[in-house]
Coordinates of all heavy atoms in Angstrom, one line a residue:
M1 N 0.8 -1.2 0.0 CA 0.0 0.0 0.0 C 0.9 1.3 0.0 O 0.5 2.2 -0.6 CB -0.9 -0.1 1.2 CG -2.2 0.6 1.1 SD -3.2 0.1 -0.2 CE -4.6 1.1 0.1
R2 N 1.9 1.2 0.7 CA 2.8 2.4 0.8 C 3.4 2.7 -0.6 O 3.5 3.9 -0.9 CB 3.9 2.1 1.8 CG 4.9 3.2 2.0 CD 4.5 4.1 3.1 NE 5.6 5.1 3.4 CZ 5.5 6.4 3.1 NH1 4.4 6.9 2.6 NH2 6.5 7.2 3.3
S3 N 3.9 1.7 -1.3 CA 4.5 2.0 -2.6 C 3.5 2.6 -3.6 O 3.9 3.4 -4.5 CB 5.1 0.7 -3.1 OG 4.2 -0.2 -3.4
R4 N 2.2 2.2 -3.5 CA 1.2 2.8 -4.4 C 1.1 4.3 -4.1 O 1.0 5.1 -5.1 CB -0.1 2.1 -4.2 CG -1.2 2.6 -5.1 CD -2.5 1.8 -4.8 NE -3.5 2.2 -5.7 CZ -4.4 3.2 -5.4 NH1 -4.4 3.8 -4.2 NH2 -5.4 3.5 -6.2
D5 N 1.0 4.7 -2.9 CA 0.9 6.1 -2.6 C 2.1 6.9 -3.1 O 2.0 8.0 -3.6 CB 0.8 6.3 -1.0 CG -0.5 5.8 -0.5 OD1 -1.5 5.7 -1.3 OD2 -0.6 5.5 0.7
V6 N 3.3 6.3 -2.9 CA 4.5 7.0 -3.4 C 4.5 7.1 -4.9 O 4.9 8.2 -5.4 CB 5.8 6.2 -2.9 CG1 7.0 6.8 -3.5 CG2 5.9 6.3 -1.4
D7 N 4.0 6.1 -5.6 CA 4.0 6.1 -7.0 C 3.0 7.1 -7.5 O 3.3 7.9 -8.5 CB 3.6 4.7 -7.5 CG 3.7 4.6 -9.0 OD1 4.7 5.1 -9.6 OD2 2.7 4.2 -9.6
L8 N 1.8 7.2 -6.9 CA 0.8 8.2 -7.3 C 1.3 9.7 -7.0 O 1.1 10.6 -7.8 CB -0.5 8.0 -6.5 CG -1.3 6.8 -6.9 CD1 -2.5 6.6 -6.0 CD2 -1.7 6.9 -8.4
D9 N 2.0 9.8 -5.9 CA 2.6 11.2 -5.6 C 3.7 11.5 -6.6 O 3.7 12.7 -7.1 CB 3.2 11.2 -4.2 CG 3.6 12.5 -3.8 OD1 2.9 13.5 -4.0 OD2 4.8 12.7 -3.2
F10 N 4.5 10.6 -7.0 CA 5.5 10.8 -8.0 C 4.9 11.2 -9.3 O 5.3 12.1 -10.0 CB 6.4 9.6 -8.1 CG 7.5 9.7 -9.2 CD1 8.6 10.4 -9.0 CD2 7.3 9.0 -10.4 CE1 9.6 10.6 -9.9 CE2 8.3 9.1 -11.4 CZ 9.4 9.9 -11.1
R11 N 3.9 10.4 -9.7 CA 3.2 10.7 -11.0 C 2.6 12.1 -11.0 O 2.6 12.8 -12.0 CB 2.2 9.7 -11.3 CG 2.8 8.4 -11.7 CD 1.7 7.3 -11.9 NE 2.3 6.0 -12.1 CZ 2.4 5.4 -13.2 NH1 1.8 5.9 -14.3 NH2 2.9 4.2 -13.3
H12 N 2.0 12.5 -9.9 CA 1.4 13.8 -9.8 C 2.5 14.9 -9.9 O 2.3 15.9 -10.6 CB 0.7 14.0 -8.4 CG 0.1 15.3 -8.2 ND1 -1.0 15.8 -8.9 CD2 0.4 16.3 -7.3 CE1 -1.3 17.0 -8.5 NE2 -0.4 17.3 -7.5
K13 N 3.6 14.7 -9.3 CA 4.7 15.7 -9.3 C 5.3 15.8 -10.7 O 5.6 16.9 -11.2 CB 5.7 15.4 -8.3 CG 5.3 15.7 -6.9 CD 6.5 15.4 -5.9 CE 6.0 15.7 -4.5 NZ 7.1 15.3 -3.5
T14 N 5.4 14.7 -11.4 CA 6.0 14.7 -12.7 C 5.0 15.3 -13.7 O 5.5 16.0 -14.7 CB 6.4 13.3 -13.2 OG1 5.2 12.5 -13.2 CG2 7.5 12.7 -12.4
G15 N 3.8 15.1 -13.5 CA 2.8 15.8 -14.4 C 2.8 17.3 -14.2 O 2.7 18.1 -15.2
R16 N 2.9 17.8 -13.0 CA 3.0 19.2 -12.7 C 4.3 19.8 -13.3 O 4.3 20.9 -13.9 CB 3.0 19.4 -11.2 CG 2.8 20.9 -10.9 CD 2.6 21.0 -9.4 NE 3.0 19.9 -8.6 CZ 3.1 19.9 -7.3 NH1 2.8 20.9 -6.6 NH2 3.6 18.8 -6.7
T17 N 5.4 19.1 -13.2 CA 6.7 19.5 -13.7 C 6.6 19.6 -15.3 O 7.1 20.5 -15.9 CB 7.8 18.6 -13.3 OG1 7.9 18.6 -11.9 CG2 9.2 19.1 -13.8
R18 N 6.0 18.6 -15.9 CA 5.8 18.6 -17.3 C 5.0 19.8 -17.8 O 5.3 20.4 -18.8 CB 5.2 17.3 -17.8 CG 5.1 17.2 -19.3 CD 4.5 15.9 -19.8 NE 5.3 14.8 -19.4 CZ 4.9 13.7 -18.8 NH1 3.6 13.6 -18.5 NH2 5.7 12.7 -18.5
A19 N 3.9 20.1 -17.1 CA 3.0 21.2 -17.4 C 3.8 22.5 -17.3 O 3.7 23.4 -18.2 CB 1.8 21.2 -16.5
W20 N 4.6 22.7 -16.3 CA 5.4 23.9 -16.2 C 6.4 24.0 -17.3 O 6.7 25.1 -17.9 CB 6.2 23.9 -14.8 CG 5.5 24.6 -13.7 CD1 4.8 24.0 -12.7 CD2 5.3 26.0 -13.5 NE1 4.2 24.9 -11.9 CE2 4.6 26.2 -12.4 CE3 5.8 27.1 -14.2 CZ2 4.2 27.4 -11.9 CZ3 5.5 28.3 -13.7 CH2 4.7 28.5 -12.6
G21 N 7.0 22.9 -17.7 CA 8.0 22.9 -18.8 C 7.3 23.2 -20.1 O 7.9 24.0 -20.9
I22 N 6.2 22.7 -20.4 CA 5.4 23.1 -21.6 C 5.1 24.5 -21.6 O 5.2 25.2 -22.6 CB 4.2 22.1 -21.8 CG1 4.7 20.7 -22.1 CG2 3.3 22.7 -22.9 CD1 3.6 19.7 -22.1
G23 N 4.6 25.0 -20.5 CA 4.2 26.4 -20.4 C 5.4 27.4 -20.6 O 5.3 28.4 -21.3
L24 N 6.6 27.0 -20.0 CA 7.7 27.9 -20.2 C 8.3 27.8 -21.6 O 8.8 28.8 -22.1 CB 8.8 27.5 -19.1 CG 8.5 27.8 -17.7 CD1 9.6 27.2 -16.8 CD2 8.4 29.3 -17.5
L25 N 8.2 26.6 -22.2 CA 8.6 26.5 -23.6 C 7.7 27.3 -24.5 O 8.2 28.0 -25.4 CB 8.6 25.0 -24.0 CG 9.1 24.7 -25.4 CD1 10.6 25.1 -25.5 CD2 8.9 23.2 -25.6
A26 N 6.4 27.3 -24.2 CA 5.5 28.1 -25.0 C 5.8 29.6 -24.9 O 5.8 30.4 -25.8 CB 4.1 27.9 -24.7
L27 N 6.1 30.0 -23.6 CA 6.5 31.4 -23.4 C 7.7 31.8 -24.1 O 7.8 32.9 -24.7 CB 6.6 31.7 -21.9 CG 7.0 33.1 -21.5 CD1 5.9 34.1 -21.8 CD2 7.3 33.1 -20.0
A28 N 8.8 31.0 -24.1 CA 10.0 31.3 -24.8 C 9.8 31.3 -26.3 O 10.4 32.2 -27.0 CB 11.0 30.2 -24.4
T29 N 8.9 30.5 -26.8 CA 8.6 30.5 -28.3 C 8.0 31.8 -28.6 O 8.3 32.4 -29.7 CB 7.7 29.3 -28.6 OG1 8.4 28.1 -28.3 CG2 7.4 29.3 -30.1
L30 N 7.0 32.3 -27.8 CA 6.4 33.6 -28.1 C 7.4 34.7 -28.1 O 7.3 35.6 -28.9 CB 5.2 33.8 -27.1 CG 4.0 32.9 -27.3 CD1 3.0 33.2 -26.1 CD2 3.3 33.2 -28.6
Q31 N 8.3 34.7 -27.1 CA 9.3 35.7 -27.1 C 10.2 35.7 -28.3 O 10.6 36.8 -28.8 CB 10.1 35.6 -25.8 CG 9.3 36.0 -24.5 CD 10.1 35.8 -23.3 OE1 11.1 35.0 -23.2 NE2 9.7 36.4 -22.2
W32 N 10.6 34.5 -28.7 CA 11.4 34.5 -29.9 C 10.7 34.9 -31.2 O 11.2 35.6 -32.0 CB 11.9 33.0 -30.2 CG 13.2 32.7 -29.4 CD1 13.2 31.9 -28.3 CD2 14.5 33.3 -29.6 NE1 14.5 31.9 -27.8 CE2 15.3 32.7 -28.6 CE3 15.0 34.1 -30.5 CZ2 16.7 33.0 -28.5 CZ3 16.4 34.4 -30.4 CH2 17.2 33.9 -29.4
L33 N 9.4 34.6 -31.3 CA 8.6 35.1 -32.4 C 8.5 36.6 -32.4 O 8.5 37.3 -33.4 CB 7.2 34.4 -32.4 CG 7.2 32.9 -32.8 CD1 5.8 32.4 -32.6 CD2 7.7 32.8 -34.2
W34 N 8.3 37.2 -31.2 CA 8.1 38.6 -31.1 C 9.5 39.3 -31.5 O 9.5 40.3 -32.2 CB 7.7 39.0 -29.7 CG 7.6 40.5 -29.5 CD1 8.3 41.3 -28.7 CD2 6.6 41.4 -30.2 NE1 7.9 42.6 -28.9 CE2 6.9 42.7 -29.7 CE3 5.6 41.1 -31.1 CZ2 6.1 43.8 -30.2 CZ3 4.9 42.2 -31.5 CH2 5.1 43.5 -31.1
C35 N 10.6 38.7 -31.1 CA 11.9 39.3 -31.5 C 12.1 39.2 -33.0 O 12.5 40.2 -33.6 CB 13.0 38.5 -30.8 SG 14.6 39.1 -31.1
A36 N 11.6 38.1 -33.6 CA 11.7 38.0 -35.1 C 10.8 39.0 -35.8 O 11.2 39.6 -36.8 CB 11.3 36.6 -35.5
V37 N 9.7 39.3 -35.2 CA 8.8 40.3 -35.8 C 9.4 41.7 -35.7 O 9.4 42.5 -36.7 CB 7.4 40.3 -35.1 CG1 6.6 41.6 -35.4 CG2 6.6 39.1 -35.5
L38 N 10.0 42.0 -34.6 CA 10.7 43.3 -34.4 C 11.9 43.4 -35.3 O 12.2 44.5 -35.8 CB 11.1 43.5 -33.0 CG 10.0 43.7 -32.0 CD1 10.6 43.8 -30.6 CD2 9.2 44.9 -32.3
L39 N 12.6 42.4 -35.6 CA 13.8 42.4 -36.5 C 13.4 42.4 -37.9 O 14.2 43.0 -38.7 CB 14.7 41.3 -36.2 CG 15.5 41.3 -34.9 CD1 16.2 40.0 -34.7 CD2 16.4 42.5 -34.9
L40 N 12.3 41.8 -38.3 CA 12.1 41.7 -39.8 C 11.0 42.6 -40.3 O 10.9 42.7 -41.6 CB 11.6 40.2 -40.0 CG 12.6 39.2 -39.7 CD1 12.0 37.8 -39.9 CD2 13.8 39.3 -40.7
T41 N 10.3 43.4 -39.5 CA 9.3 44.3 -40.1 C 9.8 45.7 -40.1 O 10.5 46.2 -39.2 CB 8.0 44.2 -39.2 OG1 8.3 44.5 -37.9 CG2 7.4 42.9 -39.3
P42 N 9.5 46.5 -41.1 CA 9.8 47.9 -41.1 C 9.0 48.6 -40.1 O 8.0 48.2 -39.6 CB 9.5 48.3 -42.6 CG 8.5 47.3 -43.1 CD 8.8 46.0 -42.3
Y43 N 9.5 49.8 -39.7 CA 8.8 50.6 -38.7 C 8.8 52.1 -39.1 O 9.6 52.5 -40.0 CB 9.4 50.4 -37.3 CG 10.9 50.7 -37.2 CD1 11.3 51.9 -36.6 CD2 11.8 49.8 -37.7 CE1 12.6 52.2 -36.5 CE2 13.2 50.1 -37.6 CZ 13.6 51.3 -37.0 OH 14.9 51.6 -36.9
E44 N 8.1 52.9 -38.4 CA 8.0 54.3 -38.7 C 8.5 55.1 -37.5 O 8.3 54.7 -36.3 CB 6.5 54.7 -39.0 CG 6.0 54.1 -40.2 CD 4.6 54.4 -40.5 OE1 3.9 55.0 -39.6 OE2 4.1 54.2 -41.6
V45 N 9.0 56.3 -37.8 CA 9.5 57.2 -36.7 C 8.9 58.5 -37.0 O 9.0 59.1 -38.0 CB 11.0 57.3 -36.8 CG1 11.5 58.3 -35.7 CG2 11.7 56.0 -36.6
D46 N 8.2 59.0 -36.0 CA 7.6 60.4 -36.1 C 8.6 61.4 -35.9 O 9.4 61.4 -34.9 CB 6.5 60.5 -35.0 CG 5.3 59.6 -35.3 OD1 5.1 59.2 -36.5 OD2 4.6 59.3 -34.3
R47 N 8.6 62.5 -36.7 CA 9.5 63.6 -36.5 C 9.0 64.5 -35.4 O 9.7 65.1 -34.7 CB 9.7 64.3 -37.8 CG 10.5 63.5 -38.8 CD 10.9 64.3 -40.0 NE 11.4 63.5 -41.1 CZ 12.7 63.1 -41.1 NH1 13.5 63.5 -40.2 NH2 13.2 62.3 -42.1
K48 N 7.7 64.7 -35.4 CA 7.0 65.5 -34.4 C 5.8 64.7 -33.9 O 5.3 63.8 -34.6 CB 6.6 66.8 -35.0 CG 7.7 67.7 -35.6 CD 7.2 68.9 -36.2 CE 8.3 69.7 -36.8 NZ 7.8 70.8 -37.7
P49 N 5.2 65.1 -32.8 CA 4.1 64.3 -32.3 C 2.9 64.4 -33.3 O 2.1 63.5 -33.4 CB 3.7 65.0 -31.0 CG 5.0 65.6 -30.5 CD 5.8 66.0 -31.8
D50 N 2.7 65.5 -34.0 CA 1.5 65.7 -34.9 C 1.9 65.5 -36.3 O 1.2 66.0 -37.2 CB 0.9 67.1 -34.6 CG 1.9 68.2 -34.9 OD1 3.1 68.0 -35.0 OD2 1.4 69.4 -35.0
D51 N 3.0 64.9 -36.6 CA 3.5 64.7 -38.0 C 2.6 63.7 -38.7 O 2.3 62.6 -38.3 CB 4.9 64.1 -38.0 CG 5.6 64.1 -39.3 OD1 5.0 64.7 -40.3 OD2 6.7 63.6 -39.4
R52 N 2.1 64.1 -39.9 CA 1.2 63.3 -40.7 C 2.0 62.4 -41.6 O 1.5 61.4 -42.2 CB 0.2 64.1 -41.5 CG -0.7 64.9 -40.6 CD -1.6 65.8 -41.4 NE -2.4 65.1 -42.3 CZ -3.1 65.6 -43.3 NH1 -3.2 67.0 -43.4 NH2 -3.8 64.9 -44.1
Y53 N 3.3 62.7 -41.8 CA 4.1 61.9 -42.7 C 5.4 61.4 -42.0 O 6.4 62.0 -42.1 CB 4.5 62.7 -44.0 CG 3.2 63.2 -44.7 CD1 2.9 64.5 -44.6 CD2 2.5 62.3 -45.4 CE1 1.7 65.0 -45.3 CE2 1.3 62.8 -46.1 CZ 1.0 64.1 -46.0 OH -0.1 64.5 -46.6
P54 N 5.3 60.4 -41.2 CA 6.4 59.9 -40.4 C 7.5 59.3 -41.3 O 7.2 58.9 -42.4 CB 5.9 58.9 -39.5 CG 4.7 58.4 -40.2 CD 4.1 59.5 -41.0
A55 N 8.7 59.3 -40.9 CA 9.8 58.7 -41.6 C 9.7 57.2 -41.6 O 9.5 56.6 -40.5 CB 11.2 59.1 -41.0
E56 N 9.8 56.6 -42.7 CA 9.7 55.1 -42.8 C 11.1 54.5 -42.7 O 12.0 55.0 -43.4 CB 9.0 54.7 -44.0 CG 7.5 55.1 -44.0 CD 6.8 54.6 -45.3 OE1 7.4 53.8 -46.0 OE2 5.7 55.0 -45.5
C57 N 11.3 53.5 -41.9 CA 12.6 52.9 -41.7 C 12.6 51.5 -42.1 O 11.5 50.8 -42.0 CB 13.0 53.0 -40.2 SG 13.0 54.6 -39.5
E58 N 13.7 51.0 -42.6 CA 13.8 49.6 -43.0 C 13.8 48.7 -41.8 O 14.0 49.2 -40.7 CB 15.1 49.4 -43.8 CG 15.2 50.2 -45.1 CD 16.5 50.0 -45.7 OE1 17.2 49.0 -45.4 OE2 16.9 50.8 -46.6
S59 N 13.6 47.4 -42.0 CA 13.7 46.5 -40.9 C 15.1 46.5 -40.3 O 16.1 46.8 -40.9 CB 13.4 45.1 -41.4 OG 14.4 44.6 -42.2
R60 N 15.1 46.2 -39.1 CA 16.4 46.3 -38.3 C 17.4 45.3 -38.8 O 18.6 45.5 -38.7 CB 16.1 46.2 -36.8 CG 15.3 47.3 -36.4 CD 14.9 47.1 -34.9 NE 14.1 48.3 -34.6 CZ 13.6 48.4 -33.4 NH1 13.8 47.6 -32.4 NH2 12.9 49.5 -33.1
L61 N 17.0 44.1 -39.3 CA 17.9 43.1 -39.6 C 18.3 43.2 -41.1 O 19.5 42.9 -41.4 CB 17.2 41.7 -39.4 CG 18.1 40.5 -39.6 CD1 19.2 40.5 -38.6 CD2 17.3 39.2 -39.5
L62 N 17.5 43.6 -42.0 CA 17.7 43.5 -43.4 C 18.0 44.9 -44.0 O 17.5 45.3 -45.1 CB 16.5 42.9 -44.1 CG 16.2 41.5 -43.6 CD1 14.9 41.0 -44.3 CD2 17.3 40.5 -43.8
T63 N 18.8 45.7 -43.4 CA 19.1 47.0 -43.9 C 20.2 46.9 -45.0 O 21.2 46.2 -44.9 CB 19.6 48.0 -42.8 OG1 20.7 47.4 -42.2 CG2 18.6 48.3 -41.8
D64 N 19.9 47.6 -46.1 CA 20.9 47.6 -47.2 C 22.0 48.7 -47.0 O 23.1 48.6 -47.5 CB 20.2 47.9 -48.5 CG 19.3 46.7 -48.9 OD1 19.6 45.6 -48.5 OD2 18.3 46.9 -49.7
R65 N 21.6 49.8 -46.3 CA 22.5 50.9 -46.1 C 23.3 50.6 -44.8 O 23.0 49.7 -44.1 CB 21.8 52.2 -46.0 CG 21.0 52.5 -47.2 CD 20.1 53.7 -47.0 NE 19.2 53.4 -45.9 CZ 18.4 54.2 -45.3 NH1 18.4 55.5 -45.7 NH2 17.6 53.9 -44.4
G66 N 24.3 51.4 -44.6 CA 25.1 51.2 -43.4 C 24.6 52.0 -42.2 O 25.4 52.7 -41.5
T67 N 23.3 52.0 -42.0 CA 22.8 52.8 -40.9 C 23.1 52.3 -39.6 O 23.0 53.0 -38.6 CB 21.2 52.9 -41.0 OG1 20.7 51.6 -41.0 CG2 20.8 53.6 -42.3
A68 N 23.5 51.0 -39.5 CA 23.9 50.5 -38.2 C 25.1 51.2 -37.6 O 25.1 51.4 -36.4 CB 24.1 49.0 -38.3
N69 N 26.0 51.6 -38.4 CA 27.2 52.2 -37.8 C 27.3 53.7 -38.2 O 27.9 54.5 -37.4 CB 28.5 51.5 -38.4 CG 28.5 50.1 -37.9 OD1 28.2 49.8 -36.8 ND2 29.0 49.2 -38.8
E70 N 26.8 54.1 -39.3 CA 27.0 55.5 -39.8 C 25.8 56.4 -39.6 O 25.8 57.6 -39.9 CB 27.4 55.5 -41.3 CG 28.6 54.7 -41.6 CD 28.8 54.4 -43.0 OE1 28.0 54.8 -43.8 OE2 29.7 53.6 -43.4
G71 N 24.7 55.8 -39.2 CA 23.4 56.6 -39.1 C 23.5 57.7 -38.2 O 22.9 58.8 -38.4
V72 N 24.1 57.6 -37.0 CA 24.1 58.6 -36.0 C 24.9 59.8 -36.5 O 24.6 61.0 -36.3 CB 24.7 58.1 -34.7 CG1 24.9 59.2 -33.7 CG2 23.9 57.0 -34.1
Y73 N 26.0 59.6 -37.2 CA 26.9 60.7 -37.7 C 26.2 61.4 -38.9 O 26.4 62.6 -39.0 CB 28.2 60.1 -38.2 CG 28.9 59.4 -37.1 CD1 29.2 58.0 -37.2 CD2 29.3 60.0 -35.9 CE1 29.9 57.4 -36.2 CE2 30.0 59.4 -34.9 CZ 30.3 58.0 -35.1 OH 30.9 57.4 -34.1
Q74 N 25.3 60.8 -39.6 CA 24.7 61.4 -40.7 C 23.3 62.0 -40.3 O 22.6 62.5 -41.2 CB 24.5 60.5 -41.9 CG 25.8 60.0 -42.5 CD 25.6 58.9 -43.5 OE1 24.5 58.4 -43.7 NE2 26.7 58.5 -44.1
G75 N 22.9 61.9 -39.1 CA 21.6 62.4 -38.6 C 20.5 61.6 -39.0 O 19.4 62.1 -39.2
D76 N 20.7 60.3 -39.2 CA 19.6 59.4 -39.6 C 18.6 59.2 -38.4 O 19.0 58.8 -37.4 CB 20.2 58.1 -40.0 CG 19.1 57.1 -40.6 OD1 18.0 57.6 -40.8 OD2 19.4 55.9 -40.7
R77 N 17.4 59.6 -38.7 CA 16.4 59.5 -37.6 C 16.1 58.0 -37.2 O 15.8 57.7 -36.1 CB 15.1 60.1 -38.1 CG 14.0 60.2 -37.2 CD 14.0 61.5 -36.4 NE 12.8 61.6 -35.7 CZ 12.8 62.0 -34.4 NH1 13.9 62.4 -33.9 NH2 11.7 62.0 -33.8
C78 N 16.2 57.1 -38.2 CA 16.0 55.7 -37.9 C 17.0 55.1 -36.9 O 16.7 54.4 -36.0 CB 16.0 54.9 -39.2 SG 14.6 55.3 -40.3
Q79 N 18.3 55.5 -37.2 CA 19.3 55.0 -36.3 C 19.2 55.5 -34.9 O 19.4 54.8 -33.9 CB 20.7 55.4 -36.8 CG 21.9 55.1 -35.9 CD 21.9 53.6 -35.5 OE1 21.5 52.8 -36.3 NE2 22.5 53.3 -34.4
N80 N 18.8 56.8 -34.7 CA 18.6 57.3 -33.4 C 17.4 56.6 -32.7 O 17.5 56.4 -31.5 CB 18.2 58.8 -33.5 CG 19.4 59.6 -33.9 OD1 20.6 59.2 -33.8 ND2 19.1 60.8 -34.5
E81 N 16.4 56.2 -33.4 CA 15.3 55.5 -32.8 C 15.7 54.1 -32.4 O 15.4 53.6 -31.3 CB 14.1 55.4 -33.8 CG 12.9 54.7 -33.2 CD 12.2 55.6 -32.1 OE1 12.4 56.8 -32.0 OE2 11.5 55.0 -31.3
R82 N 16.6 53.5 -33.2 CA 17.1 52.1 -32.8 C 17.9 52.2 -31.6 O 17.8 51.3 -30.7 CB 17.9 51.6 -34.0 CG 17.2 50.8 -35.0 CD 18.1 50.1 -35.9 NE 17.6 50.3 -37.3 CZ 18.2 51.0 -38.2 NH1 19.4 51.4 -38.0 NH2 17.7 51.1 -39.4
A83 N 18.7 53.2 -31.4 CA 19.5 53.4 -30.3 C 18.7 53.6 -29.0 O 19.1 53.1 -27.9 CB 20.5 54.5 -30.4
E84 N 17.6 54.2 -29.1 CA 16.7 54.5 -27.9 C 15.9 53.3 -27.5 O 15.5 53.3 -26.4 CB 15.8 55.7 -28.2 CG 16.6 57.0 -28.3 CD 15.7 58.2 -28.8 OE1 14.5 57.9 -28.8 OE2 16.2 59.2 -29.1
T85 N 15.6 52.4 -28.4 CA 14.7 51.3 -28.1 C 15.4 50.1 -27.4 O 14.8 49.1 -27.1 CB 14.0 50.8 -29.3 OG1 15.0 50.4 -30.3 CG2 13.1 51.9 -29.9
R86 N 16.7 50.1 -27.2 CA 17.4 49.0 -26.6 C 17.0 48.8 -25.1 O 16.6 49.5 -24.4 CB 18.9 49.2 -26.6 CG 19.4 49.0 -28.0 CD 20.9 49.1 -28.0 NE 21.3 49.5 -29.3 CZ 22.5 49.9 -29.5 NH1 23.4 50.0 -28.6 NH2 22.9 50.3 -30.7

């Protein structure tokens, strides 16, 4: 009788641990997907709060220009926004 109780308790604990693992894995997957969305989608930067025509910026990962290193020196609004969002 004692070994049955121990076995049931063990199965209950392993089920709870498995549920936590699946939940944390799902959370990590959502965070990686959100990071991919932020890196791959273009974004806009407002020059002024009431600006009707905001500056459009390329995605952060797939930039063709050298804005990652030279943007601050050339006054690139997109590079300044990237620096502030870290």
Side-chain angles (χ1 to χ4, degrees):
M1 207 58 178
R2 177 95 172 110
S3 64
R4 181 178 181 268
D5 294 337
V6 172
D7 187 48
L8 290 175
D9 186 45
F10 177 75
R11 288 175 189 253
H12 176 69
K13 287 181 182 178
T14 57
R16 190 173 20 169
T17 302
R18 183 180 298 132
W20 269 101
I22 291 170
L24 290 174
L25 185 62
L27 179 65
T29 301
L30 288 174
Q31 288 177 338
W32 277 108
L33 288 174
W34 181 246
C35 183
V37 165
L38 290 177
L39 287 174
L40 295 173
T41 56
Y43 60 101
E44 296 178 346
V45 178
D46 293 333
R47 295 190 185 275
K48 298 177 186 172
D50 59 347
D51 191 6
R52 295 176 60 189
Y53 304 104
E56 295 183 10
C57 304
E58 297 177 19
S59 66
R60 296 174 180 180
L61 185 63
L62 305 173
T63 56
D64 292 334
R65 299 172 300 171
T67 58
N69 297 321
E70 302 166 3
V72 175
Y73 301 118
Q74 296 174 356
D76 185 13
R77 185 93 170 135
C78 295
Q79 172 58 28
N80 290 339
E81 183 69 20
R82 271 189 225 118
E84 292 174 7
T85 59
R86 286 185 206 166

